[in-house]
Amino acid sequence: MSKAFVKEDQQQDDDDLELEASPLPAGAKNYITRDGYTRLRAELEHLMNVERPDVVQTVSWAASNGDRSENGDYLYGKKRLREIDRRIRFLTRRLEIAEVVDPAAQPNRDQVFFGATVVYSDSAGEEFRVTIVGVDEAEPLQGRISWISPVARALTKAHEGDTVVLRTPGGVEELDILEVHYPEPQA
């Protein structure tokens, strides 16, 4: 059967959209810090105003060169264009439902909530420093964990000096909260 009659690209796009399914619990709000919102908005604008027009120009140029079936620039450009469009749709949806939270405005600064930077130690005495952020701005290797992560859920609503219980597939662990910090309010 000729590839012209098979919708492989459409099926692949549908599969990729399922991979980008929301990690948010059903009915939960998409909390995000102002910095996280600004970064996502900047990425969206860059994709729409810089990257996509560049790729469209490359694809247009490659298409004008003739046979598209063996034209690497055309094939790669079309694939890259689909990736960019998919990311634009994803970012647009995420920004539409985002609820920006300013951690500096937190009145209970001694208690752990969204936006808090927490220093805690585990049962082995090892210290960790994490900041609780939105799912779209989480970077665990940089100490930025999602508010829906098991560690953040265990820490939330606790006070400095408290011991909380973290339940993981590996068992139960106690975490001692050493410090709780929030950004200072901007004047």
Side-chain angles (χ1 to χ4, degrees), residues 85-141:
D85 287 343
R86 188 170 31 257
R87 183 69 179 164
I88 287 173
R89 283 190 307 272
F90 175 79
L91 289 171
T92 301
R93 282 192 308 265
R94 298 304 280 195
L95 290 170
E96 284 174 354
I97 64 168
E99 185 165 322
V100 179
V101 176
D102 183 8
Q106 177 56 252
N108 301 331
R109 299 177 79 76
D110 64 331
Q111 197 171 8
V112 179
F113 291 108
F114 183 88
T117 298
V118 182
V119 178
Y120 69 90
S121 65
D122 62 9
S123 53
E126 188 175 353
E127 285 190 14
F128 298 90
R129 177 184 213 84
V130 295
T131 301
I132 301 172
V133 297
V135 295
D136 296 319
E137 54 187 329
E139 296 178 46
L141 297 177

Side-chain angles (χ1 to χ4, degrees), residues 38-49:
T38 302
R39 279 193 301 273
L40 290 182
R41 188 86 191 134
E43 179 185 355
L44 177 62
E45 289 175 5
H46 176 76
L47 288 172
M48 289 176 30
N49 299 330

